[in-house]
Amino acid sequence: MADISKVRAKIEELRRLIRRHDYLYYVLDRPEVSDAEYDKLYQELKRLEEAHPDLITPDSPTQRVGGQPVEGFAQVQHKVAMLSLDNAYSADEVREFEARIKRALPGERFTYVAEAKVDGLSVALLYEQGRLVRGATRGDGRTGEDVTLNLMKVRSIPHRLDGPLAKFNVLEVRGEVFMWRQGFERLKRKLEEEGEEPFANPRNAAAGPVRPKDPQITAARPLDIFVYGVSHAEPDPFTSHYQAMHQLHESGFRIHSKGEKNMLERYRRRCGDIEAAIEACREVEEARDKLGCDCDGVVLKVDSIEQERRLGSTTHHPRWAIAYKFPAQQATTIIKKIEISVGRTGALTPTAELEPVEIAGATISRATLHNADEIERLDVREGDTVLIERAGDVIPHILQVVTEKRRPRTKPFSFPNRCPVCGAEAFRPEGEVVSRCTNSACPARLKQSLLHFGSRRAMDIEHLGDAVVEQLVDRSLVKEFADLYGLDVKTLADLERLAEKSATNLSRAIQGSKRQGLGRLLFALGIRYVGEHVAAILAQHYGSMDRLEKAPEEELAEIYGIGPRIAQSVALYFRQPENRRQIEQLRKAGVKMREEGVTAGPRPLAGKIFVLTGGLEGFSRDEAKELIVRQGGRVTSSVSKKTDYVVVGKDPGSKDDDAKRLGVPTLDEAAFKKLIGKA
Ligand SMILES: [Zn+2]
């Protein structure tokens, strides 16, 4: 066969691509292709290898589970391998799956459980006598990483089980850690406000933070878990998968009770035969946009545990389950133009303007290109035909260029090394992916900064919209924040499309914003990493701009909820003479620089470290924290020898035991109230 060298080359090429994508997906959590694209490569390799079995090598991706653990975490050997599932792409392939298991267990009947296949990060949770003792990632399926501390921060993962399962010697539960789209959108806004680069999609946002070294990062992410299996139990009373899931829910993996979250739980159901299971797949597919999270298919499992056991697994997949994958939400279209916009922090962000195209009912006319690296990697050029993918409500992204359709003599897109608005040099620090305009007086940056300054959760200046800001900057009426407060009604009324009455309203809104107080002002200034929440903490802690301006970096870093990175950024901000000058201008304009209700007087709890456990009657957890912080104390999440007090409420967790063990004084609610002067 003359073509055998070609086949060999093709196989090598596919293996190389698959390995690269495995690494990006499993190790870096930065996939570059959709799962459907990846599956296509994998299936093609499998097909070629089946046709040429002599070309199969033991190191081919088809011969193993894939991925490798990240360095730095302790490794965990999975007792029962976390295998990936075999895929089906049509109803017929689902029927073939049943035909296979019927051949394996002739004459038997099967019932199934259909579950939404949530896209996130697979984890294994080990409980001993009802206590969570270890949480691990899937890793390569046989060896994962110990991420117990991080997983303990995921709120819906119980640290202790209730009910009958609490008495089990060993129970290993598996599930998918993921992020609801709503939470993802909120997180994205927050990161943008803090001047950080947001994640491309909920999966990346969920997978990343399960593994940072700092569990606080995990805690700050709105993560959830969808449990889908028990891999090991002693004793082992389960007879069906559905029953096991039900018992898990009764043991503390609570069924979400509100709104969208309920949608997902609805998509676990028993199906009497394979046709009912196929119907369930169709229903979830139709509802996929309404699930509130990323769901790329439906997993069908044989419900009987006893049959599962007899069916067993191949080296790659369990034989008793199959993943029905939804067709990808993809389309091809043409890039009309690559636009570069300039954000508040000066970040140059590329976006592709597309020939409008419809995907699953939505008209798509823009796609994100993330940054210069992404453009280079894809080699996207204006005029190119591209394959785009839509996942949920997230802005679509470009999967690849259809190079066969590229017009002759096009040039690679050259990412500007100057700001497209002011022409200043754009700087990209070593190791970062974002280039930023270096001109702090860049009109584009100033416009975005002013819009942020006046936004609802910052200074809340109504009527200070795009059109007004555009003119104020272009006519050099406003060069910095304080200039806003010098605008009179007459000047404002001269602006285009602003009638006398609107000008009066705007002027009133501007003047009224002077009274917002320190917290909102700090957020409005747009200091890097200082979002709404951090701004409120700083305002509560210091009470006035004077005190905050003088705060040393080490002191800032000690405040609960601040940490070294934010402390550094805040200290750096106040060290810049230009920033201090601008704040002085705001002060002169009459902008309030204090926070109401924060006493500048003695701080009785200064330096004291608290840990809270259990529920308090008189206040919520957040209220209690705020009271402590206001008086100079800190609240940390775990008990150590450094802890001064553990406040013990109703139904305390293990922290109460920790306090006793370490000899840390405990306070009941009454004693706590007395200490903070609320008794
Ligand atoms: Zn610029």
Side-chain angles (χ1 to χ4, degrees), residues 511-527:
Q511 297 307 320
S513 74
K514 288 177 183 172
R515 293 188 297 272
Q516 292 292 9
L518 183 62
R520 280 173 174 262
L521 175 61
L522 287 174
F523 175 50
L525 291 174
I527 304 166

Side-chain angles (χ1 to χ4, degrees), residues 419 422 437 442:
C419 169
C422 74
C437 166
C442 171

Side-chain angles (χ1 to χ4, degrees), residues 161 193 219 228 232 245 247 324 390 403 466 477 491 541 577 605 635 656:
L161 298 178
E193 276 167 5
Y228 59 68
H232 184 69
M245 291 300 98
Q247 288 211 16
Y324 168 76
R390 173 177 173 248
T403 36
D466 283 315
L477 292 166
T491 313
H541 197 90
L605 302 184
V635 179
D656 187 20

